[in-house]
Every structure is written in structure tokens, then in C-alpha cells.
């Protein structure tokens, strides 16, 4: 089968022919309908994660079950599925509560285990495939990561968001555009901040009440005026660099909460800062749980999510990652084998 293989930092990606996997006991073979290209893959290609190359990338996958190993009975060949990609050991405390993504990053689909940028994907456990009988598998593929991760952030932030509050979304790219949609569902005033007007125009279409281009506008003054001087109740950073984390700190009001989703490697000092509100809380967000993926699939089935995609073929993957790195992908680029 064809697969997009990573051979180590600086080695780039190669489309190669590799053996099609055979599912063993408890495993499933999924014929890939689509697999998303994620900004996190760029960090992987830069060597920010200790992968053992060669490795098939891709952690955002949908497809059709074509073969199952012994003992797999709840889903059979011919079933269209969304693949939960945060694969773990399956039996530790976080796995048994369905938050397998918190178990071990190096077990994940497309991180420590061959991923979905291929014609077929071997899934290690039937708990990781969720049937999607009412969704188009190609259109649904961003739900498994680009939507799932922001959903977890907003679900965790929900207890700190009242309808009269202001929520700031920093970075409205592949994940932030879903963060806007979920934040808008809370009823709060949603302020979307980015450096790219095209992304901000999309954010406004997807539910942002106010958009701020931080290259020409001062985010803190916009947030202060939108929040009657109180500052934002919640800020979600989908970039995660020093400057965006600092920008979030500058806009949170007293008792505000910062959710860090982007893995830009930045840091955020919670020490006293006269420009910050007091008693701030910051947390990072790691992908989403199996049941949160069920929630996202339900929202999509009910027509409540806008999941735009850009289809690419194997021979266009390298160029698509290059465009992603330069901010030239508007929705989610997805490989359709
Ligand atoms: C993927 C790989 C490594 C870290 C984080 C991620 C996220 O894109 C998963 O949502
Ligand atoms: Zn991702």
C-alpha cells in the first residue's frame, strides 16, 4: 500500500510502498477515506517529538473497516468509522475512564504508531473506532482532531463561562476555527484574534462576534471595551508561543482561565504582573477523550458544525504541509488516498 513515511528531522516525507497490515487478535484494518494534515505534524518533522523513524504520520483519520482480527465483534467489515487517535495502554486509570490520549503520547496514531496518511490503517483496539453511519467520512475527518481538541478545551472551560462573559480565541487556524464554533455555543461574546485577515473573516462566518488583527489592532483595548473593563473570563491559545500566551495573560480578567492548546513551545509566567488580572489559572489541553469524540460526532450529525476541508492526493501532501507552515491553508487539508 501507499503511505507517507517520515524518515527523521531534515529527511522530509516520502510516499512509499509498504506492506498492508494484517489485523491480529483485537485489531481492525481500516481502509482510509481521509486523513488530516495537522500543524502538530510539522513539530514532529522538526524533531520536537522523540519518534523512531521511519514512521507513517497522520493522527486524524476516518475510513471503512475492511478486516477484523479475532475477538472483534462490535464492529464489522463495511462499517464507516471515525478513528480515535489517542491510543494508550487501555487498562491504566486514564484509559479506563476513556481518556486514553492522556496515557502515553508515544502510543498515539501517527506519533509512536503508524498513522493514517496511507491507504490502510491498523487500529489496535475496537474501542478506538466510532461508527459514523450518517456522516460523509471524508468531510468528517477534521472532527477527530481539529474539532475534538477545541471541544475538550471549551468543555473544560464551560464552568467558567457565563453568557454575559467574554471569551478570547487566539489563533483561528485549523483548530481555532472550531474553537470559535464551540465558544459561540456557550452564548458568551467571542473575540477571535489572529494575524491573518482571511482567517478572521472565516472566524466571523463561524460565530465570532468580534475579530482582531493583532498586527494592526491592540487586543487588550478591544477586550476591555467588549467586557466593560472586566477582561475576558476565558482565553484559549491555539498557537502556544510566548507572544500569544502573553497576549492571553494581558486580556484575562480577575479569576480568568487560560487554556493552552497550541504546542508552539512558548511559556507563560503566572507570577505577579500588574498588567494581568489577579488569581489567574492556566492549564494545557491534550487532544480529547473517546466520549468527547462521541459528542463532536453527535454535533456534526445534528448539522451544528461547519467542517470545511481541502482534498489533496499523495503527490500533493508535501506541498500541502509547506502551505500549512506558511499559513496558506484556510480549512483543513486532508489526504484522500
Ligand atoms: C499531535 C501530536 C503531538 C502533540 C499534539 C498533537 C495534537 O495535534 C493532537 O490534537
Ligand atoms: Zn493534530
Amino acid at each position: 500500500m501507499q503511505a507517507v513515511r517520515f524518515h527523521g528531522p531534515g529527511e522530509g516525507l516520502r510516499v512509499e510502498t509498504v506492506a498492508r497490515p494484517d489485523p491480529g487478535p483485537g485489531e481492525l484494518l481500516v481502509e482510509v477515506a481521509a486523513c488530516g494534515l495537522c500543524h502538530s505534524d510539522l513539530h514532529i518533522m522538526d524533531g520536537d517529538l522523540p519518534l523512531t523513524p521511519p514512521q507513517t504520520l497522520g493522527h486524524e483519520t476516518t475510513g471503512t473497516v475492511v478486516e477484523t482480527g479475532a475477538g472483534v465483534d462490535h464492529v464489522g467489515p463495511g462499517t464507516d468509522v471515525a478513528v480515535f487517535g489517542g491510543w494508550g495502554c487501555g487498562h491504566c486509570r486514564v484509559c479506563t475512564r476513556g481518556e486514553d490520549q492522556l496515557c502515553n503520547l508515544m502510543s498515539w496514531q501517527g506519533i509512536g504508531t503508524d498513522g493514517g496518511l496511507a491507504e490502510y490503517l491498523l487500529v489496535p483496539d475496537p474501542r478506538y473506532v466510532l461508527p459514523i453511519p450518517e456522516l460523509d467520512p471524508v468531510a468528517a475527518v477534521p472532527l477527530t482532531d481539529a474539532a475534538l481538541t477545541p471541544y475538550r478545551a471549551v468543555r473544560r472551560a464551560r464552568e467558567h463561562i457565563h453568557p454575559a462573559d467574554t471569551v478570547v480565541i487566539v489563533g483561528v487556524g485549523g483548530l481555532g476555527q472550531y474553537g470559535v464554533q464551540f465558544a459561540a455555543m456557550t452564548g458568551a461574546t467571542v473575540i477571535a484574534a489572529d494575524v491573518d485577515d482571511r482567517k478572521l473573516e472565516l472566524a466571523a462566518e463561524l460565530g465570532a462576534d468580534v475579530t482582531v488583527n493583532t498586527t494592526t489592532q491592540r487586543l487588550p483595548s478591544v477586550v476591555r471595551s467588549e467586557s466593560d473593563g472586566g477582561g475576558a473570563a476565558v482565553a484559549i491559545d491555539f498557537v502556544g508561543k510566548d507572544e500569544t500566551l502573553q497576549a492571553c495573560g494581558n486580556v484575562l480578567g480577575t479569576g480568568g482561565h487560560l487554556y493552552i492548546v497550541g504546542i508552539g513551545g512558548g511559556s507563560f509566567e503566572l507570577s505577579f504582573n500588574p498588567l494581568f488580572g489577579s488569581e489567574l489559572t492556566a492549564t494545557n489541553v491534550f487532544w480529547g477523550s473517546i466520549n468527547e469524540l462521541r459528542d463532536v460526532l453527535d454535533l456534526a450529525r445534528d448539522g451544528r458544525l461547519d467542517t470545511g476541508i481541502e482534498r489533496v492526493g499523495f503527490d500533493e501532501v508535501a506541498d500541502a504541509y509547506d502551505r500549512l507552515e506558511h499559513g496558506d491553508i484556510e480549512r483543513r487539508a486532508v489526504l484522500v488516498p
Side-chain angles (χ1 to χ4, degrees), residues 111-191:
I111 314 293
T113 314
D114 277 344
L117 285 177
E119 289 179 273
Y120 294 90
L121 172 68
L122 185 66
V123 180
D125 191 304
R127 69 199 257 117
Y128 296 146
V129 293
L130 301 182
I132 47 172
E134 299 170 62
L135 294 175
D136 164 16
V138 176
V141 72
L143 300 173
T144 63
D145 178 22
L148 173 58
T149 306
Y151 179 83
R152 180 176 180 84
V154 175
R155 185 195 62 72
R156 287 180 56 192
R158 191 77 182 81
E159 62 179 310
H160 307 300
I161 301 172
H162 302 152
D165 284 339
T166 299
V167 172
V168 177
I169 303 289
V170 175
V172 284
L175 275 68
Q177 61 190 247
Y178 291 94
V180 164
Q181 295 184 66
F182 294 126
M185 291 179 193
T186 69
T189 297
V190 178
I191 299 176

Side-chain angles (χ1 to χ4, degrees), residues 38 40-41 44 49 59 105 108 111 145 149 175 263 286-287 332:
C38 182
S40 305
D41 296 327
I44 292 168
L49 286 169
H59 54 269
L105 171 64
W108 287 6
I111 314 293
D145 178 22
T149 306
L175 275 68
I263 54 173
F286 232 34
W287 211 336
R332 192 72 154 178

Side-chain angles (χ1 to χ4, degrees), residues 38-49:
C38 182
H39 214 274
S40 305
D41 296 327
L42 299 173
H43 290 290
I44 292 168
M45 291 182 243
D46 288 343
D48 296 347
L49 286 169

